[in-house]
Amino acid sequence: MDWQGQKLAEQIMQVMLLVFAVVSFGAGYVLGSFQMMMLVYAGGVTLTALITIPNWPFFNRHPLKWLDPSEAEKHPKPQVAVSSKKKSSKK
Amino acid sequence: MHSFGYRLNGLLTFAVTILALMCVIASLSDNLNIPSPSAEIQIMNINWFQKQPKGSDEVILRMNISADLQSLFTWNTKQVFIFVAAEYETRKNSLNQVSLWDAIIPAKERAKFWIRSSNKYRFVDHGKNLRGKEFNLTLHWHVMPKTGKMFADKIVMSGYSLPEEYI
């Protein structure tokens, strides 16, 4: 996921869990059944998990632009000095 | 939310926290319920009223207990525990309470009932004070919730008394 995707996933997760909490409490209270509340809430948690946890494509709509490989070669990483002399060869 | 495990952990923690809040609100909603229970106990017969060999009085009696406790049940009630206690006063103690019978009511449908039973637990005094004693029979109940606070209350029924002499 990209950064925008991560933010979106977190927002969706929080909103969905809160909505399911309210809905399940209401359903349980009106029906007079504690079990109904727990079942609806468990279903809601599973649904939220399926939507927000895996790496779906719509979370990757603003992909990060990594540096091009040809650009990277023009600016090599500094080499760590080793006891045996090493020649760094550039292609 | 950087990785799969991070998101999973965040979601589960948030979900459990919200669940805890829901349970608190469910318990608070029990206060909205105003119960109107009723109960009646008749003593059908005193089967046994004697001194034990050690010296304390003992009574065995047969009761007819009828009650309507359906209004105590809410959506958040797991079961209701009820017990009948005999309460009386002696010279040594201002209040003696002896539990005679108890039961667990698991569901609202079973909360309106009558039962004839002799006392489940022994009605024994500390001493020989029971002859001609007037006592109250109190029906106590504990409403045990699925989550949250337990409520307890009672109905006091007075006017019962034991015979003047041993049977």
Side-chain angles (χ1 to χ4, degrees), chain B residues 34-38 68 71-72:
Chain B
I34 304 174
S36 52
S38 63
D68 180 2
S71 57
L72 293 174

Side-chain angles (χ1 to χ4, degrees), chain B residues 6 20 28 69:
Chain B
Y6 193 101
L28 289 173
L69 301 171

Side-chain angles (χ1 to χ4, degrees), chain A residues 12-86:
Chain A
I12 292 180
M13 184 265 284
Q14 288 169 339
V15 166
M16 276 188 74
L17 282 183
L18 281 169
V19 162
F20 265 104
V22 170
V23 164
S24 69
F25 190 89
Y29 191 76
V30 161
L31 291 174
S33 165
F34 202 85
Q35 194 180 27
M36 185 53 65
M37 175 176 101
M38 296 303 284
L39 284 174
V40 171
Y41 188 63
V45 170
T46 316
L47 185 67
T48 309
L50 282 173
I51 292 181
T52 62
I53 294 185
N55 205 353
W56 300 115
F58 66 83
F59 285 129
N60 218 4
R61 276 189 292 216
H62 305 269
L64 295 163
K65 288 223 214 83
W66 294 106
L67 196 56
D68 209 43
S70 53
E71 271 293 310
E73 283 188 358
K74 294 186 192 159
H75 310 275
K77 278 202 228 167
Q79 295 270 350
V80 177
V82 190
S83 54
S84 56
K85 282 189 193 160
K86 238 175 132 175

Side-chain angles (χ1 to χ4, degrees), chain A residues 1 3 6 9-10 13-14 17-18 21 24-25 28-29 32-34 37-38 41 45 48-49 52-55, chain B residues 1-5 7-12 14-19 22-23 25-26 29 32 74-76 146-147:
Chain A
M1 284 191 191
W3 303 117
Q6 289 174 10
E10 180 166 358
M13 184 265 284
Q14 288 169 339
L17 282 183
L18 281 169
S24 69
F25 190 89
Y29 191 76
S33 165
F34 202 85
M37 175 176 101
M38 296 303 284
Y41 188 63
V45 170
T48 309
T52 62
I53 294 185
N55 205 353
Chain B
M1 312 289 271
H2 305 295
S3 71
F4 186 94
R7 288 195 293 275
L8 182 66
N9 182 34
L11 183 141
L12 286 177
F14 196 50
V16 170
T17 308
I18 295 182
L19 184 64
M22 279 160 61
C23 287
I25 300 177
S29 79
L32 297 172
T74 71
W75 70 304
N76 187 27
K146 291 189 172 119
T147 72

Side-chain angles (χ1 to χ4, degrees), chain B residues 20-104:
Chain B
L21 277 170
M22 279 160 61
C23 287
V24 167
I25 300 177
S27 178
L28 289 173
S29 79
D30 270 352
N31 290 317
L32 297 172
N33 180 41
I34 304 174
S36 52
S38 63
E40 197 189 306
I41 304 183
Q42 286 169 318
I43 298 195
M44 287 162 51
N45 193 23
I46 310 242
N47 295 342
W48 176 270
F49 183 19
Q50 277 292 348
K51 270 196 310 225
Q52 287 177 332
K54 265 192 317 196
S56 297
D57 286 348
E58 179 171 357
V59 186
I60 300 181
L61 39 76
R62 197 161 164 77
M63 301 175 281
N64 182 5
I65 305 167
S66 63
D68 180 2
L69 301 171
Q70 286 185 324
S71 57
L72 293 174
F73 279 80
T74 71
W75 70 304
N76 187 27
T77 301
K78 181 173 188 316
Q79 63 195 16
V80 172
F81 173 70
I82 59 173
F83 66 96
V84 172
E87 297 173 350
Y88 58 95
E89 192 182 315
T90 59
R91 261 178 327 168
K92 269 203 310 189
N93 309 314
S94 62
L95 178 63
N96 300 277
Q97 287 172 309
V98 183
S99 176
L100 298 179
W101 177 87
D102 56 24
I104 290 180

